[in-house]
Amino acid sequence: NKSRNTEFRNLPPEVNVSLPRFHSQKIDTKKLQEQFGSLSSMSDSMYENEFVMGNLVSDVNAEYENEFTINTTGKEASMPKEPKIIVARNAGQGVLNSLVCLNDNEIWTSGQDSTIKLYNLQGELLSSIQTKSGNWPWDIAITKSGDLLYTDPKDRTVNKVRSNQIQVVTRLESWWTPRSICGTHTGDILVLEVSYDEKQTQVVRYTDSSKKQTIRVNSNGKPLYSFGYYNKFICENKNLDICVSDYGAGAIVVVNQTGKLRFIYTGSPGTTKGLFFPSGIATDSQSQILTADSNSQCIHIIDQDGQFLRDIKHNDLHFPRVLCMNNSGNIFVAEWEAQVFDVGVQETETSRRLNLENGANYKLFVTKDSIDLGDFNRQEIKIKWPLKYIRRYGFHTRNLFMLEAGRRCETGEGCFNFFIDTNQKELKMAIDNAAYDQSEGAFSVKFRTLRN
């Protein structure tokens, strides 16, 4: 074979490559807009705050002439001029369990009977719905299309009322019972469910009658919500967050629409740990979250990220329990039924142990379930004695009232003495009625606007 070494000694020719260059031209923006269009300039608009207060004064804990007190962290929104808090008070028997606005002038109510009632703001009964099973509804809500929803824990059903016809949306498995409920902006239904043994709580999303989502634990597998019989209420915020007021945990628990925990709110900066008891919950057009705090007798307002904004107090607002809002920004509140008595403390061994000042003035609240001792000026509950754990009560003398707490009360065992100068008979009668008259019956509603 003939060698080809000589042939391969000749290398291939070198190739010189010159890269392309960009030659810029002046850009005619008018021609670009003609070809692609253009964006309008950003406009700044401010929604009018829907909570009506008086004019702010300089003090941090500002007091208003209309008797509202608003605590703020400086993140203030614009405030309208006239208060529009409307209290729905029961003129019949039992307790108001739930309120929901159908529109600006009509409100659905439910209580301790099997009838759900629609009232106007003059307190006139417009319509009523009898539950299908004859049981009490636990909670009521309105769907995006305006239909009425209610939960029936005994029947384990979620129900929809349309044109006065009741349709069972879903019947839960035997292990779960439905409690609180709300309609969503997408037309789904959110139901807060509690297990039969009351050791688990979950939020379930239903599309029509199909279960689409279950929210029960956080990213670490720990329960998001407390267990037990304590009330919990649910609502959806405008940003689609799911907000739950958890009375047992003393917290507002907020997750996003995928079920991921966003934040937990445990009270305002001035709230002592363990003394925040949220119940009813609602949101407004600015995605602010409102909750009724029966212990501090006020309404907390926080923003969509859990930042405390302010609270609303009024001398005639006692034990707010559930609340709702209409499109005009009016806040409707139903209260725990309570009678209020002014008392003074007589020192006892138990009162000293609890740091109750001898001779100091307090308020004694008698509700259907408990006797509560409240701060005279700040309208804050210091002690709750459930009626079923009170051993005995009565008058030592004409104006010295005695209460003996049992060991299962939060104070432990012990006697408390209170001076009461007026309404002695009314106090005894109020406790007697609460302790012995547990009759249940039809409720009726009166509306009262709290004004300055």
Side-chain angles (χ1 to χ4, degrees):
N1 294 334
K2 188 177 179 179
S3 173
R4 299 179 63 187
N5 289 344
T6 303
E7 179 183 347
F8 288 113
R9 282 193 183 99
N10 298 323
L11 297 175
E14 293 182 3
V15 178
N16 292 322
V17 179
S18 61
L19 297 176
R21 295 182 179 182
F22 176 74
H23 299 279
S24 62
Q25 297 289 336
K26 186 177 180 180
I27 297 174
D28 189 338
T29 57
K30 291 184 178 179
K31 288 185 177 181
L32 282 178
Q33 291 177 2
E34 290 174 0
Q35 294 293 323
F36 297 103
S38 61
L39 290 173
S40 62
S41 61
M42 182 180 294
S43 62
D44 294 325
S45 61
M46 183 173 288
Y47 293 98
E48 187 176 357
N49 190 302
E50 297 181 348
F51 304 101
V52 191
M53 318 294 172
N55 295 323
L56 186 63
V57 297
S58 59
D59 191 87
V60 174
N61 293 319
E63 292 190 1
Y64 296 80
E65 292 182 359
N66 58 8
E67 297 178 339
F68 278 89
T69 301
I70 300 176
N71 297 326
T72 177
T73 58
K75 193 174 180 180
E76 299 167 10
S78 60
M79 292 181 288
K81 297 179 181 178
E82 295 181 1
K84 281 285 185 178
I85 295 182
I86 302 171
V87 175
R89 291 204 164 112
N90 185 9
Q93 296 180 334
V95 174
L96 281 175
N97 290 331
S98 188
L99 306 170
V100 61
C101 295
L102 178 61
N103 51 49
D104 278 353
N105 300 306
E106 297 173 335
I107 183 167
W108 283 106
T109 62
S110 66
Q112 294 184 338
D113 65 14
S114 61
T115 305
I116 306 170
K117 299 174 183 178
L118 180 68
Y119 288 91
N120 62 21
L121 298 190
Q122 290 70 49
E124 298 168 337
L125 180 63
L126 304 179
S127 180
S128 61
I129 300 292
Q130 197 79 14
T131 61
K132 198 167 187 177
S133 65
N135 300 325
W136 297 353
W138 183 277
D139 194 18
I140 58 177
I142 295 292
T143 67
K144 182 180 179 181
S145 58
D147 296 328
L148 178 67
L149 299 169
Y150 73 88
T151 55
D152 186 335
K154 288 186 178 180
D155 204 33
R156 304 195 323 279
T157 56
V158 177
N159 303 271
K160 180 188 292 184
V161 182
R162 175 178 292 175
S163 301
N164 291 328
Q165 298 298 313
I166 299 177
Q167 168 194 351
V168 176
V169 175
T170 186
R171 188 182 300 274
L172 275 60
E173 302 166 359
S174 58
W175 183 247
W176 295 96
T177 60
R179 299 290 177 85
S180 185
I181 188 171
C182 77
T184 71
H185 296 85
T186 60
D188 294 339
I189 299 172
L190 294 173
V191 183
L192 192 144
E193 303 175 357
V194 177
S195 63
Y196 184 76
D197 63 359
E198 297 182 347
K199 292 184 178 180
Q200 297 181 74
T201 302
Q202 64 184 18
V203 171
V204 178
R205 182 188 299 273
Y206 292 91
T207 302
D208 297 325
S209 59
S210 300
K211 184 186 292 188
K212 293 297 183 181
Q213 181 186 25
T214 301
I215 302 168
R216 191 185 305 169
V217 296
N218 62 19
S219 58
N220 296 321
K222 295 183 178 181
L224 284 166
Y225 312 108
S226 70
F227 58 88
Y229 190 76
Y230 296 107
N231 284 340
K232 301 175 184 69
F233 291 91
I234 187 171
C235 71
E236 185 189 55
N237 209 344
K238 299 298 183 292
N239 62 358
L240 305 186
D241 283 351
I242 301 168
C243 312
V244 172
S245 62
D246 192 333
Y247 189 96
I252 302 296
V253 182
V254 176
V255 301
N256 65 18
Q257 63 188 112
T258 68
K260 182 178 179 181
L261 178 65
R262 290 203 60 232
F263 65 85
I264 297 176
Y265 171 78
T266 56
S268 66
T271 303
T272 304
K273 185 177 181 181
L275 292 178
F276 176 53
F277 295 105
S279 48
I281 191 168
T283 62
D284 69 4
S285 62
Q286 300 176 61
S287 295
Q288 295 178 156
I289 303 168
L290 299 85
T291 189
D293 181 358
S294 59
N295 179 66
S296 296
Q297 301 182 65
C298 70
I299 298 169
H300 293 238
I301 305 176
I302 61 176
D303 69 13
Q304 63 182 355
D305 298 315
Q307 175 69 41
F308 172 76
L309 299 177
R310 57 192 176 277
D311 57 34
I312 303 176
K313 292 186 177 182
H314 192 280
N315 286 348
D316 201 29
L317 181 64
H318 302 298
F319 297 101
R321 181 169 182 255
V322 293
L323 54 81
C324 64
M325 294 188 67
N326 64 12
N327 292 329
S328 297
N330 299 333
I331 309 170
F332 293 83
V333 183
E335 302 172 311
W336 286 106
E337 307 297 324
Q339 290 181 257
V340 186
F341 302 89
D342 293 335
V343 297
V345 170
Q346 184 190 59
E347 188 176 61
T348 64
E349 180 182 348
T350 314
S351 69
R352 285 196 303 272
R353 174 167 54 84
L354 297 173
N355 297 317
L356 298 180
E357 184 181 349
N358 184 38
N361 294 324
Y362 291 88
K363 288 185 179 290
L364 208 62
F365 299 90
V366 181
T367 75
K368 185 179 180 181
D369 301 308
S370 64
I371 300 175
D372 304 338
L373 186 68
D375 186 282
F376 188 83
N377 295 313
R378 295 177 58 196
Q379 291 186 291
E380 185 175 271
I381 301 303
K382 299 179 70 68
I383 300 173
K384 296 175 78 72
W385 294 286
L387 287 171
K388 59 184 177 181
Y389 300 144
I390 293 176
R391 290 177 177 171
R392 60 193 178 114
Y393 60 89
F395 280 89
H396 287 306
T397 62
R398 188 184 67 84
N399 65 345
L400 185 61
F401 177 77
M402 178 274 297
L403 180 154
E404 183 180 352
R407 61 181 177 82
R408 298 187 67 179
C409 291
E410 63 184 49
T411 60
E413 294 178 295
C415 290
F416 298 85
N417 292 335
F418 302 101
F419 294 109
I420 175 169
D421 293 329
T422 59
N423 302 324
Q424 292 94 344
K425 290 182 179 179
E426 288 81 358
L427 173 59
K428 177 72 162 50
M429 186 180 301
I431 301 175
D432 287 345
N433 290 339
Y436 302 116
D437 184 9
Q438 297 295 322
S439 61
E440 299 152 0
F443 68 92
S444 59
V445 178
K446 298 185 299 183
F447 295 101
R448 179 181 177 187
T449 301
L450 302 186
R451 299 186 184 277
N452 54 341

